[in-house]
Amino acid sequence: GMSDRLQWPGEFQLMTEDRKQKGFTVIQFAIGFPCDIKPMDPRGQNDAGDPWTTNFETINPAYFDLADLRIQWLIKNEMLPNMMPNWGYYLEFMGVEKMKKHWRYVIARYGAYPVVWNLTGEVSLPYYLVEWTDEKIAKQKKQYTEVANYYHEIEPFDRILTVHPGPFASDMEQLDDMSLIDFVFLQPGHNGFETLPRAISQMRTASEMFPQPVLIGEACFEGMHGGGSGEKVQRFLFWSTVMMGAPGFSYGADAIWQFNRMNDPFGESPTGNTWGNMPWEEAYQWPGARMVGIGHKILQNVKWWDFEPHPEWINKHATDDNHLGAYVSGIPGEAIGVYFYKQPRNDQYELSSLAAGATYRAVYYDPRTGDAYDQGTFRLEDGEKYKVPKAPIHQDWVLMITKI
């Protein structure tokens, strides 16, 4: 997105406006040296070339002069940049000391902006064409832990720091010292409905392992692997993880991460693999992005920032063995939110924790459209549970119950 594969100003501004209108609030990108290319590949360049000169001899300020225009446009449009200075494997080519200089430069250039920092992309990923040994992976994690410590030494504005996880789904410890980051990203995979059980299991495990907030940082890009991971996968990942306590969700789409262009596809990665050839001019309009944005807008009807997961409040909650069950979160006695992957039937689900004698309103929200279906008000007696009413249409639903 910082390269000429998404052209400035018209195309970049079109994408920004689209995401803003859909309800997105954060845009994640590599400021330079993105994924799936060799160093100095033209596909990662802008009109001024690369962020460093050939063979990583010195920083190229002209590259950043052009990147400034895009980053400033995001901020002007109230989109928070989540910036990673490079993808993980570039450490092999630059070395630790030059990587520290790279970090020092981007902090000096952008640190005063409203920004969230991302240490690197796929932190433990060696270069694609070398042997991926356990020793090499461990060494890279150790080196990036050193870079993270350096970041904390020089970063003057106390910005939030995270790290994009490696592609090794079982590896939760993305750095040797996880206390160096402020929230935890997960990357469970890209295989559509096959990935969902692993995504839920990782979300649950990581939330128990770490004191920091946990959210999906990369999963099931819409359109990945021949058009898979469609809108219902996106809705499920958004709503299930938010109800599990995630403070947000990172949506991605094939054709946009690399900006396939009409009549100019991105082409092969270094391994010879081609992920997809759909053009971004079509992909930015895929429905999953709109529905994730709708999810954000639905949450504005409640104090979602105070919600905490409460699986014990419902009689049939999702588990690792049944990831398609209900997901429940809320504020004790005040509000409950539930995501149902399937349409609830009459008396199928019961909810507890609501205060006896208080008046509540229940509303079904269609996660595809945002339309609200008022279920009326109710009061419960001592010990009585709320029987979830049948949903209006046979599909997935979000139920919000609030005290009035």
Side-chain angles (χ1 to χ4, degrees):
M2 292 291 114
S3 78
D4 287 340
R5 297 200 61 80
L6 181 65
Q7 294 177 2
W8 173 266
E11 293 179 350
F12 191 92
Q13 293 181 3
L14 171 66
M15 274 293 300
T16 302
E17 180 63 20
D18 175 81
R19 291 319 195 221
K20 182 177 180 180
Q21 291 301 317
K22 285 184 168 75
F24 284 61
T25 56
V26 181
I27 301 296
Q28 177 179 272
F29 56 89
I31 182 63
F33 300 128
C35 65
D36 277 71
I37 56 175
K38 67 183 185 299
M40 311 302 171
D41 188 303
R43 291 173 292 182
Q45 297 172 351
N46 63 26
D47 282 345
D50 288 291
W52 284 61
T53 58
T54 305
N55 298 322
F56 299 99
E57 294 161 351
T58 187
I59 286 169
N60 173 21
Y63 171 93
F64 294 94
D65 290 342
L66 298 180
D68 288 351
L69 302 174
R70 300 172 184 236
I71 294 168
Q72 290 165 359
W73 185 258
L74 291 175
I75 294 169
K76 180 179 179 180
N77 283 273
E78 300 179 337
M79 306 293 279
L80 180 69
N82 175 217
M83 296 169 56
M84 56 181 74
N86 61 281
W87 218 253
Y89 59 84
Y90 288 89
L91 185 63
E92 295 185 43
F93 300 93
M94 297 177 71
V96 172
E97 292 310 309
K98 285 188 176 179
M99 186 61 71
K100 289 179 179 179
K101 291 179 179 180
H102 187 55
W103 257 106
R104 187 177 185 87
Y105 186 83
V106 296
I107 288 176
R109 188 139 191 164
Y110 303 112
Y113 288 177
V115 61
V116 172
W117 290 113
N118 200 322
L119 184 67
T120 192
E122 293 187 297
V123 60
S124 56
L125 175 70
Y127 186 57
Y128 305 100
L129 300 182
V130 303
E131 184 181 1
W132 292 3
T133 64
D134 291 342
E135 292 76 15
K136 181 175 285 291
I137 292 168
K139 178 182 178 182
Q140 189 159 308
K141 287 171 62 175
K142 180 179 180 181
Q143 289 176 325
Y144 269 117
T145 301
E146 181 180 345
V147 174
N149 274 300
Y150 178 72
Y151 162 89
H152 283 288
E153 291 175 9
I154 66 170
E155 198 278 318
F157 299 105
D158 198 25
R159 302 297 189 218
I160 293 172
L161 176 69
T162 189
V163 61
H164 185 280
F168 314 106
S170 61
D171 186 7
M172 297 287 183
E173 299 280 352
Q174 298 152 14
L175 296 172
D176 291 344
D177 182 0
M178 289 292 284
S179 70
L180 294 170
I181 61 173
D182 298 299
F183 66 95
V184 178
F185 261 10
L186 301 177
Q187 186 190 172
H190 286 283
N191 291 310
F193 287 98
E194 298 173 29
T195 296
L196 302 187
R198 182 164 63 247
I200 294 306
S201 178
Q202 283 194 11
M203 182 72 195
R204 187 172 287 116
T205 299
S207 297
E208 294 170 353
M209 286 180 62
F210 305 113
Q212 301 101 315
V214 178
L215 69 154
I216 296 292
E218 178 184 330
C220 295
F221 281 3
E222 189 169 9
M224 200 77 164
H225 295 175
S229 299
E231 59 263 33
K232 192 165 187 180
V233 169
Q234 307 305 320
R235 296 199 306 269
F236 176 86
L237 285 170
F238 176 89
W239 282 108
S240 61
T241 57
V242 166
M243 292 299 179
M244 294 178 74
F249 175 74
S250 180
Y251 167 86
D254 192 34
I256 289 179
W257 67 265
Q258 79 281 56
F259 282 100
N260 279 325
R261 299 183 57 78
M262 199 83 71
N263 302 317
D264 179 22
F266 180 77
E268 293 184 352
S269 297
T271 57
N273 183 62
T274 298
W275 291 105
N277 284 334
M278 288 292 291
W280 78 267
E281 292 94 334
E282 295 180 21
Y284 85 93
Q285 301 177 73
W286 284 344
R290 175 174 53 82
M291 294 176 190
V292 167
I294 285 170
H296 170 237
K297 293 173 183 176
I298 291 173
L299 288 174
Q300 306 311 304
N301 293 287
V302 294
K303 295 195 295 182
W304 65 270
W305 53 89
D306 287 334
F307 274 36
E308 294 183 351
H310 283 282
E312 74 281 5
W313 287 357
I314 199 165
N315 58 327
K316 297 178 182 179
H317 195 275
T319 64
D320 281 347
D321 295 328
N322 176 25
H323 66 284
L324 299 181
Y327 292 83
V328 182
S329 187
I331 306 168
E334 295 292 327
I336 296 179
V338 192
Y339 175 66
F340 299 100
Y341 176 78
K342 299 178 180 179
Q343 178 200 32
R345 302 186 303 270
N346 280 334
D347 300 336
Q348 180 184 13
Y349 292 101
E350 294 182 341
L351 288 167
S352 60
S353 88
L354 296 169
T359 302
Y360 293 91
R361 180 176 296 279
V363 179
Y364 270 123
Y365 290 95
D366 185 336
R368 303 171 308 155
T369 65
D371 292 342
Y373 294 76
D374 193 344
Q375 302 299 297
T377 61
F378 64 91
R379 297 164 66 92
L380 299 177
E381 303 294 333
D382 284 337
E384 184 182 5
K385 296 181 179 180
Y386 177 71
K387 295 184 183 300
V388 173
K390 181 180 178 180
I393 307 171
H394 191 71
Q395 60 170 62
D396 54 330
W397 285 96
V398 176
L399 177 67
M400 292 293 184
I401 297 174
T402 52
K403 189 176 181 180
I404 58 175

